[in-house]
Amino acid sequence: MIDNLFQYEFLQNAFLTGIIIGVIAPFLGVFIVVRKMALITDALSHVSLSGIAASLLLGKYFAPFALLNPLYGGMAFSVIGALLIEKLRTVYKHYEELAIPIMMSFGIGLGVIFISLADGFNTDLFGYLFGSVSAVSRADLYVIILIAVLVFITIFLLYKELFLLSFDEEYAKAIGIPGNGIHLLFVITVALVIAVSMRIVGVLLVSSLMTLPVAASIRVAKSFKQAIILSVIFGEISVIGGLVSGFYLEIAPGGTIVIIAATLLLGTVLYKKFRYQKS
Amino acid sequence: MTEAPIIEIKNVTYHYDHFTVLENINLQVERGDFLAIVGPNGSGKSTLLKLILGLLKKQQGDIYLYGKPLESFDQWEKIGFVSQKANSFNSGFPATVYEVVRSGLTKKTGLFHFFPKNTREHVMEALKAVEMESFIDRNIGELSGGQQQRVFIARAIVSNPELLILDEPTVGVDAKRVAQFYQLLQRLNHTRNMTLIIVSHDVGIISDKVSHVACLNKTLYFHGRSHEFAALDKEALSFFYGHDVDVLKHEHI
């Protein structure tokens, strides 16, 4: 494996991408889970897919678009989707959760149309749905690094505000924290991270990387800081373990990543149960 | 020159759709006051609080904080707030008492700034004031309702506010603890000269603990010193509370 890693550029790309999203996806995931927004990740990943499908379709008919990385299309759709969800939440004040299924079905619907119109990228599509060890290009990697740095800086600088908004939104607003603006910025970072994570984990499983490691960590974490650190550790174990096993078993890494994350989750549940019974 | 009142409310009226919740409210709070705003459920107490805190947009009338119109007031770090929701927060939230109290310094620290190095000392001091210092590294969800409530007071006072506003802080706290809780508030009022406003539907318990009482039920029925309030005859009080007196008492059994 190590030899291969030095030998093949595609493996380097996949691993570096994996290591990066293994940090930022669970890091953002902690805020998403404690704010009870976990489902937004599913909706946005489906919207990103339609963005990628739209890019591939455009590329097929208009040559200049073929040069454009489909990742940009995915990111653009994801961010627009996130903004639409926020808008819908204010339209349906008393049914805020409706925004999620609306955007999710809209994303899939649009994706299906684009995919049907350009029925020439089926093998590519498999990678987008379930993740891939070989699909990440050097160009993808650069985009992912750039996004990761931006997201990391944003969340780091807004850490205390995000913590307060997650813990007690009313209080945060009462003491004069610009909650709406920060929330919007946060949702945009989530949309971007989902779009860039998709290459490795795949559309159908990207939400798991933001929720499963967090679900495991909050079982055992005493503090918020601990929850973040543990989530990132669980996320990294899942991604690296999933990529290695996916590579050797020739399985799409999305599947192996999620299974490892789920196993870790089961482990923490059992650990907590065992500890609880002992004391 | 005399100091401007901490809060001045002039002719404030507020409607939800076509329903009037507050009508022509005039109220002043001076430095060092310990004011209880009392009234039955649905009397507009929380609405008034939200207007003062800028959580609701005012419709008619004027509100001044420290002599400045609410719209241009920007010294929110002077005001501490203990919300009603603090009682019903997500108890599975992974956070320590330290992290929760520290979050009270968010506004004071400022956007894009990190908490200063001596933050833990400030948090410790606030926790000492509410006698919770030994819980600093405990998970917030593991504490009892009364202990959590004191942590939320610590969060509100950690930034050394001059004015502390509490919205129904004793809901869900058992009766024995309530007396201790008011002692704590009185101590903050006396030793730190902190101005306190407490909103409660619990008129009986409160009137001998505070310096001023404001009775609210859409309009302001009474506003004055608490001993004047205590001297009011019962008839006036039951008129003000209407049929709600019984209902309210049942809630505490």
Side-chain angles (χ1 to χ4, degrees):
Chain A
M1 183 81 195
I2 302 284
D3 297 348
N4 290 331
L5 203 53
F6 284 112
Q7 212 172 347
Y8 298 114
E9 193 187 278
F10 78 87
L11 271 184
Q12 292 169 5
N13 295 343
F15 271 85
L16 287 174
T17 304
I19 289 167
I20 294 167
I21 63 169
V23 173
I24 56 172
F27 184 26
L28 279 184
V30 175
F31 293 99
I32 294 172
V33 170
V34 296
R35 300 192 71 180
K36 307 200 167 152
M37 291 166 59
L39 287 174
I40 198 175
T41 54
D42 270 318
L44 291 181
S45 63
H46 288 85
V47 176
S48 317
L49 176 71
S50 68
I52 283 172
S55 300
L56 293 172
L57 179 65
L58 276 174
K60 199 175 171 189
Y61 290 106
F62 305 99
F65 283 99
L67 297 169
L68 205 66
N69 193 328
L71 210 55
Y72 292 121
M75 280 167 18
F77 270 56
S78 187
V79 169
I80 294 168
L83 297 178
L84 283 175
I85 286 176
E86 288 311 307
K87 181 72 199 156
L88 280 170
R89 277 154 65 109
T90 56
V91 173
Y92 291 98
K93 261 187 195 142
H94 302 286
Y95 299 95
E96 280 185 16
E97 74 282 3
L98 254 184
I100 302 288
I102 291 174
M103 273 325 284
M104 184 147 160
S105 42
F106 182 66
I108 299 172
L110 214 55
V112 167
I113 291 176
F114 292 145
I115 291 164
S116 308
L117 285 177
D119 46 6
F121 50 91
N122 286 330
T123 46
D124 251 5
L125 195 65
F126 187 82
Y128 281 112
L129 286 178
F130 304 112
S132 164
V133 247
S134 58
V136 186
S137 67
R138 204 28 65 116
D140 287 347
L141 178 63
Y142 291 144
V143 177
I144 291 164
I145 290 174
L146 181 71
I147 295 296
V149 170
L150 285 177
V151 167
F152 206 76
I153 292 173
T154 308
I155 301 304
F156 211 61
L157 287 177
L158 293 174
Y159 177 85
K160 61 185 193 311
E161 283 79 12
L162 282 168
F163 172 83
L164 191 54
L165 280 169
S166 311
F167 186 73
D168 190 345
E169 194 171 346
E170 191 191 16
Y171 175 78
K173 287 183 176 167
I175 64 166
I177 304 292
N180 296 339
I182 290 172
H183 176 72
L184 207 60
L185 206 58
F186 174 70
V187 173
I188 290 171
T189 61
V190 171
L192 289 173
V193 169
I194 286 172
V196 299
S197 304
M198 215 162 57
R199 267 315 213 176
I200 294 284
V201 223
V203 175
L204 296 175
L205 303 165
V206 68
S207 68
S208 64
L209 202 52
M210 293 185 134
T211 49
L212 290 187
V214 183
S217 79
I218 57 174
R219 297 290 304 177
V220 286
K222 283 264 177 277
S223 68
F224 198 70
K225 200 171 149 190
Q226 224 176 61
I228 289 175
I229 293 169
L230 282 175
S231 297
V232 170
I233 292 173
F234 291 153
E236 284 297 344
I237 295 174
S238 311
V239 172
I240 295 173
L243 282 173
V244 172
S245 53
F247 176 73
Y248 280 112
L249 303 171
E250 289 178 23
I251 293 172
T256 45
I257 289 171
V258 173
I259 295 307
I260 294 175
T263 311
L264 288 170
L265 172 61
L266 186 69
T268 56
V269 172
L270 290 175
Y271 168 79
K272 192 77 188 270
K273 204 173 169 203
F274 179 67
R275 281 281 300 264
Y276 186 73
Q277 279 174 347
K278 249 172 70 174
S279 60
Chain B
M1 200 184 90
T2 53
E3 192 188 29
I6 304 263
I7 297 180
E8 192 169 11
I9 296 168
K10 279 184 175 171
N11 305 321
V12 164
T13 296
Y14 194 84
H15 316 269
Y16 284 114
D17 296 325
H18 296 294
F19 186 70
T20 308
V21 248
L22 292 172
E23 197 176 330
N24 205 22
I25 306 292
N26 287 284
L27 189 67
Q28 276 194 13
V29 181
E30 306 286 344
R31 186 180 293 274
D33 281 0
F34 185 173
L35 169 71
I37 301 176
V38 295
N41 292 328
S43 57
K45 305 177 302 262
S46 291
T47 305
L48 185 62
L49 248 186
K50 283 182 179 153
L51 285 168
I52 294 171
L53 290 166
L55 292 172
L56 285 175
K57 255 208 176 102
K58 70 166 206 212
Q59 295 167 341
Q60 285 167 44
D62 289 301
I63 297 173
Y64 298 90
L65 298 175
Y66 290 89
K68 265 194 163 179
L70 184 69
E71 303 77 52
S72 58
F73 181 75
D74 56 1
Q75 297 167 295
W76 290 103
E77 66 277 4
K78 282 188 174 172
I79 302 177
F81 175 54
V82 180
S83 74
Q84 195 177 352
K85 271 210 188 119
N87 301 307
S88 58
F89 76 102
N90 167 14
S91 61
F93 198 100
T96 58
V97 168
Y98 172 66
E99 286 174 316
V100 172
V101 175
R102 184 181 63 174
S103 72
L105 290 165
T106 303
K107 181 68 185 174
K108 202 175 191 177
T109 307
L111 212 55
F112 306 128
H113 287 78
F114 300 110
F115 291 116
K117 280 212 175 75
N118 56 357
T119 299
R120 200 172 165 96
E121 291 154 37
H122 286 299
V123 168
M124 200 52 151
E125 202 185 311
L127 282 169
K128 274 185 185 151
V130 296
E131 291 165 359
M132 286 293 288
E133 65 270 26
S134 57
F135 293 85
I136 187 162
D137 289 318
R138 289 277 292 277
N139 186 295
I140 183 80
E142 292 171 358
L143 308 185
S144 73
Q147 289 170 332
Q148 285 169 355
Q149 193 54 262
R150 282 191 277 164
V151 171
F152 292 124
I153 306 256
R155 177 180 69 176
I157 62 172
V158 70
S159 58
N160 273 319
E162 295 173 11
L163 168 66
L164 183 61
I165 298 178
L166 306 105
D167 188 7
E168 302 270 11
T170 55
V171 171
V173 177
D174 60 87
K176 272 187 285 177
R177 295 270 174 203
V178 170
Q180 280 182 337
F181 183 75
Y182 282 114
Q183 273 171 12
L184 166 69
L185 294 182
Q186 283 174 322
R187 206 164 62 225
L188 291 173
N189 182 230
H190 292 143
T191 60
R192 299 194 181 203
N193 196 28
M194 203 180 271
T195 312
L196 295 173
I197 299 178
I198 181 165
V199 163
S200 176
H201 63 256
D202 204 345
V203 66
I205 289 182
I206 236 170
S207 60
D208 59 329
K209 305 283 195 294
V210 299
S211 70
H212 292 75
V213 176
C215 283
L216 192 72
N217 198 353
K218 196 163 92 174
T219 59
L220 196 62
Y221 278 71
F222 171 85
H223 175 221
R225 298 205 152 264
S226 50
H227 59 84
E228 295 165 10
F229 175 75
L232 280 181
D233 59 38
K234 294 280 175 283
E235 245 174 82
L237 210 61
S238 63
F239 168 71
F240 153 66
Y241 259 96
H243 297 293
D244 277 318
V245 174
D246 278 351
V247 181
L248 284 166
K249 279 187 179 150
H250 286 308
E251 278 180 6
H252 288 276
I253 294 169

